[in-house]
Amino acid sequence: MSSLMHFLAGDAQADRVVPPTGYTARLTVFAAASMAFLAVFALALSLATGRVADRWGEALAKSLTIRITAPVDQMDAQVLAVMEILATTPGVKNARPLGDDEQRALLEPWFGPDLPLDQLPIPKLIEVVEDGEGFDADGLRARLAGEAPGAILDDHTRWREPLVRAAKRLRALGFVAIVLIAALSGVVITLAASAALAANEQVIRVLRLVGARDRYIAHAFVRRYTLRALGGSSVGTVLGALAIFLMPSTGDQGNFLTGLGFEGWQWLWPLLIPPLAALAAFGATRRTAQTVLQEKR
């Protein structure tokens, strides 16, 4: 802890080794702020995608649909048979046939609002909601096949699995983007520190002549660029979090394009970006300073 406080307090004489202004200083601050801003959005995308996948996956996992295809004169009998089967099936919390208005609303995006359901052979749909323990889907399919041949159980697996896979890939891409952003930040800071060391070659020679060690000189550069990265990334993080906060939200609809953001304790995640950026700048600058100073011996 004392070494950290000493590092933050610095040495006024050593700080004169590194120019407080210049294009390398502006480049470091701008790069750190820009990368932190992008990291906030990448992090928000990863977390929002995970939330949407969990929400949709849970909703689809708890509900099933039974589709009944039968002649018109047999449809009511098939529906009654299916409802009787569901009433005696353990694990079924609720079951109800969808009304014509509900089925019309489901088909409206594809066929328009004036779909004549009474004139088309459209299957009857029954919505099934399972309780916490669930039920035996294979056993229910067997009962439906024996007592209601026109009924087909759809447990939404073919819809849920692609959604989960896509969400996992998007989440992984978000974290890969964060890693790439961190790597690029390190490269930019390395180039800036190397340029600053090259520009102050004469000052470094004079310091060596008066007895300054390379460790003393390197510490000055490391401290200066670490604090610049910390300051720039803090500004970028605040601006990114503010932009995320001002984005519209769809509440529980689960649209990750308009629901992009953080929820609850997830707002703490962006707070890790500035210290991580400073840590990356510390490592990159220290390696660069040691390498350049050894080459200039």
Side-chain angles (χ1 to χ4, degrees):
M1 188 66 180
S2 59
S3 59
L4 177 61
M5 297 301 297
H6 176 71
F7 178 83
L8 294 176
D11 186 343
Q13 184 177 0
D15 287 343
R16 297 192 184 99
V17 178
V18 188
T21 60
Y23 75 94
T24 57
R26 293 190 295 270
L27 176 63
T28 303
V29 175
F30 178 76
S34 301
M35 296 305 169
F37 185 86
L38 295 176
V40 171
F41 274 87
L43 181 61
L45 175 62
S46 298
L47 295 176
T49 304
R51 289 198 307 270
V52 171
D54 293 340
R55 186 181 300 122
W56 287 1
E58 290 176 0
L60 291 175
K62 294 179 180 178
S63 64
L64 303 93
T65 302
I66 295 179
R67 184 176 72 254
I68 302 176
T69 304
V72 178
D73 57 343
Q74 300 179 15
M75 183 65 73
D76 293 339
Q78 291 272 357
V79 172
L80 290 176
V82 172
M83 294 300 294
E84 291 178 359
I85 293 173
L86 295 175
T88 58
T89 300
V92 175
K93 181 179 180 180
N94 186 28
R96 66 180 185 90
L98 297 183
D100 291 343
D101 291 339
E102 292 177 295
Q103 293 197 203
R104 185 178 290 106
L106 292 174
L107 298 174
E108 182 176 339
W110 288 272
F111 299 101
D114 301 324
L115 183 66
L117 292 181
D118 55 343
Q119 300 178 15
L120 296 175
I122 296 178
K124 191 68 175 179
L125 300 179
I126 298 178
E127 181 185 34
V128 182
V129 179
E130 61 179 296
D131 59 17
E133 298 180 358
F135 59 87
D136 183 8
D138 293 333
L140 179 58
R141 286 192 178 94
R143 293 186 62 189
L144 291 174
E147 302 180 35
I152 298 176
L153 176 65
D154 183 4
D155 59 359
H156 302 159
T157 301
R158 61 174 180 172
W159 305 103
R160 186 169 63 248
E161 291 181 352
L163 174 65
V164 173
R165 288 198 302 267
K168 289 182 178 180
R169 291 176 183 176
L170 281 176
R171 184 184 302 176
L173 287 175
F175 286 113
V176 169
I178 294 174
V179 173
L180 293 177
I181 289 171
L184 184 58
S185 299
V187 170
V188 173
I189 293 173
T190 297
L191 294 176
S194 179
L197 286 165
N200 291 272
E201 183 176 359
Q202 296 297 329
V203 177
I204 293 174
R205 289 181 179 178
V206 173
L207 289 173
R208 282 174 169 170
L209 289 175
V210 298
R213 296 182 178 181
D214 288 349
R215 182 179 179 182
Y216 177 85
I217 301 171
H219 177 79
F221 279 89
V222 170
R223 178 181 177 276
R224 178 79 74 174
Y225 278 87
T226 299
L227 294 180
R228 287 172 180 173
L230 179 63
S233 60
S234 298
V235 173
T237 300
V238 171
L239 294 177
L242 181 61
I244 292 293
F245 179 77
L246 295 177
M247 290 189 67
S249 175
T250 56
D252 295 332
Q253 295 181 13
N255 189 333
F256 73 89
L257 293 177
T258 53
L260 180 66
F262 305 101
E263 291 184 357
W265 62 268
Q266 292 180 349
W267 282 100
L268 298 177
W269 280 109
L271 298 179
L272 297 177
I273 295 177
L276 291 177
L279 184 62
F282 176 85
T285 308
R286 185 174 63 175
R287 289 192 300 269
T288 302
Q290 292 174 350
T291 302
V292 174
L293 292 174
Q294 288 178 359
E295 293 176 351
K296 296 183 180 297
R297 285 183 178 276

